[in-house]
Amino acid sequence: MKKKLSILLALVMTCSLFAACGKSNPSADSNSTKASATATPSPEADDNKDEQQVSEEVTVRVGSMKGPTTMGLLNLQSLAEAKTAGQPYEFTMVTAADELVSKVVGGELDIALVPANMASILYNKTKGGVSVIDINTLGVLYIVASDETITSMEDLKGRTLYLTGKGTTPDYALQYLLKQNGLSTEDVTLEYKSEATEVASVLSQQADAVGLLPQPFATVACQQNEALKIVLNLTEEWDKVSDGSSLVTGVTIVKNDFLAEHPDAVATFMEEHKTSSEYANTNVDETAEAVAASGIIEKAPVAAKAIPYCNITYIDGADMKTKLSGYLQTLFDLDPSSVGGTLPADGFYYLPQ
């Protein structure tokens, strides 16, 4: 991530959405106007008018970050470009999380794929103005090293570990896992860098270095240096010590005023987001080509190797609430400011009936 990120971004780690309805018929509208000039509208005409209002087309504005969250949207984006999606969409991809925040708060986006803790921060800052509708990526954090004897968190004792930003989501996740495994920052020296590329650079220059990297940086680093391997998956390590929560990277939020006005459009987006996420995981080569074409990863072969490690997913409903609320509780216990000072109320979790 970039140095310009605000405190919001400092709580994040490396990581789009949609909605709308149907089309009105201009000729029908014209005929209705002429009829109203000569006759009193009947109750049936009122019903038809209501149906036209319900089916009025809306373009859903979706924002995401350059990374795994956008990868899960690429199939939907291609359908939208071909005008074969269930409704029209307008997609925006940014490189920094604070750009998404400003666009959501400024009314430029209806739906956004954001870091999990940022969703909570936005909820607090907007006084309940957003809801989370799904989890789009689980953990994308990996321990990378040339020493394959590192097979557990305990094996990090006595090591120096390089990672991005003190006080960011990777930092909190790592410290939680160290604590759960009986370790502390006294046992493991943490060396902070401003960007994932800096961590990758250290790994390439120091044979004994150990780094914490998100995808796709972890895969890229291993591709550039054959001596490097992914030795620990922090998502798996989290699952070993958690009580039902998950290491959640990205979630999808919707502005509540948009949700209230266009619930069918949001429902359509959720269905199509799920299908698009599944497509990314089951059609890796095709998705890799789209990833390269969109500029997320430069080369399709590298993207193809990274996709299986990106934990692109789609989880909504009660399962989403359980996994996300547990994760936010863990962050809150480590530092309340990481989730905006207070935990979101139940209304934060959108559970469609």
Side-chain angles (χ1 to χ4, degrees):
M1 311 304 291
K2 297 182 180 179
K3 294 183 179 178
K4 70 170 189 174
L5 303 187
S6 62
I7 294 178
L8 293 178
L9 182 58
L11 305 173
V12 181
M13 190 64 225
T14 324
C15 254
S16 323
L17 303 142
F18 332 70
C21 301
K23 295 183 178 180
S24 60
N25 187 326
S27 62
D29 290 343
S30 176
N31 293 335
S32 298
T33 301
K34 293 177 181 178
S36 66
T38 59
T40 300
S42 66
E44 181 179 355
D46 289 339
D47 290 341
N48 290 338
K49 181 179 179 181
D50 289 340
E51 290 176 3
Q52 288 176 352
Q53 290 175 342
V54 169
S55 62
E56 180 183 0
E57 187 174 271
V58 58
T59 297
V60 184
R61 302 169 301 171
V62 181
S64 62
M65 289 182 63
K66 185 178 181 179
T69 55
T70 296
M71 292 180 191
L73 282 175
L74 291 176
N75 179 246
L76 179 54
Q77 289 187 32
S78 67
L79 295 178
E81 291 171 0
K83 300 188 183 305
T84 56
Q87 59 195 6
Y89 294 102
E90 178 182 291
F91 296 96
T92 300
M93 182 175 72
V94 301
T95 57
D98 57 350
E99 294 181 68
L100 283 181
V101 172
S102 63
K103 289 181 181 296
V104 171
V105 174
E108 298 177 52
L109 295 174
D110 306 310
I111 294 173
L113 283 70
V114 300
N117 67 311
M118 181 175 289
S120 177
I121 292 171
L122 274 170
Y123 176 84
N124 285 312
K125 282 189 171 293
T126 59
K127 301 186 185 305
V130 300
S131 294
V132 60
I133 57 178
D134 68 54
I135 294 172
N136 55 61
T137 47
L138 294 173
V140 297
L141 297 172
Y142 295 84
I143 301 293
V144 177
S146 59
D147 186 353
E148 296 185 59
T149 65
I150 300 175
T151 59
S152 68
M153 294 299 295
E154 290 86 349
D155 293 331
L156 296 176
K157 186 173 184 178
R159 305 266 187 165
T160 295
L161 193 148
Y162 297 87
L163 70 161
T164 56
K166 184 178 179 64
T168 63
T169 298
D171 187 21
Y172 287 127
L174 177 64
Q175 293 201 42
Y176 169 73
L177 290 175
L178 290 176
K179 180 180 179 181
Q180 293 299 104
N181 285 276
L183 301 173
S184 70
T185 52
E186 294 183 0
D187 300 305
V188 182
T189 301
L190 303 183
E191 186 75 29
Y192 297 97
K193 300 296 181 181
S194 60
E195 297 181 1
T197 52
E198 292 185 48
V199 175
S201 177
V202 172
L203 291 173
S204 67
Q205 296 171 13
Q206 299 181 23
D208 60 345
V210 181
L212 173 60
L213 284 170
Q215 290 293 352
F217 294 101
T219 295
V220 172
C222 292
Q223 287 289 297
Q224 294 176 341
N225 184 349
E226 293 183 356
L228 292 175
K229 301 289 186 295
I230 291 176
V231 293
L232 290 177
N233 179 340
L234 260 58
T235 301
E236 295 177 355
E237 297 304 317
W238 187 288
D239 290 343
K240 291 177 184 178
V241 297
S242 72
D243 55 357
S245 69
S246 292
L247 179 54
V248 180
T249 296
V251 301
T252 304
I253 60 170
V254 61
K255 295 187 69 172
N256 283 337
D257 55 357
F258 183 84
L259 175 60
E261 188 173 354
H262 304 289
D264 291 342
V266 174
T268 297
F269 167 76
M270 292 174 70
E271 292 173 2
E272 296 191 309
H273 189 197
K274 179 180 181 180
T275 300
S276 185
S277 297
E278 292 171 347
Y279 183 92
N281 289 317
T282 56
N283 297 271
V284 173
D285 290 339
E286 293 84 350
T287 301
E289 292 292 340
V291 168
S294 65
I296 298 173
I297 298 176
E298 184 177 351
K299 298 180 179 179
V302 177
K305 291 183 178 296
I307 289 171
Y309 294 99
C310 286
N311 276 324
I312 298 167
T313 189
Y314 178 91
I315 303 171
D316 61 15
D319 193 20
M320 174 267 290
K321 180 180 179 181
T322 297
K323 293 180 183 299
L324 179 56
S325 62
Y327 174 67
L328 294 177
Q329 180 68 61
T330 298
L331 293 184
F332 177 83
D333 292 342
L334 289 169
D335 181 356
S337 68
S338 66
V339 296
T342 60
L343 289 170
D346 284 346
F348 172 65
Y349 305 95
Y350 178 58
L351 306 176
Q353 299 301 317

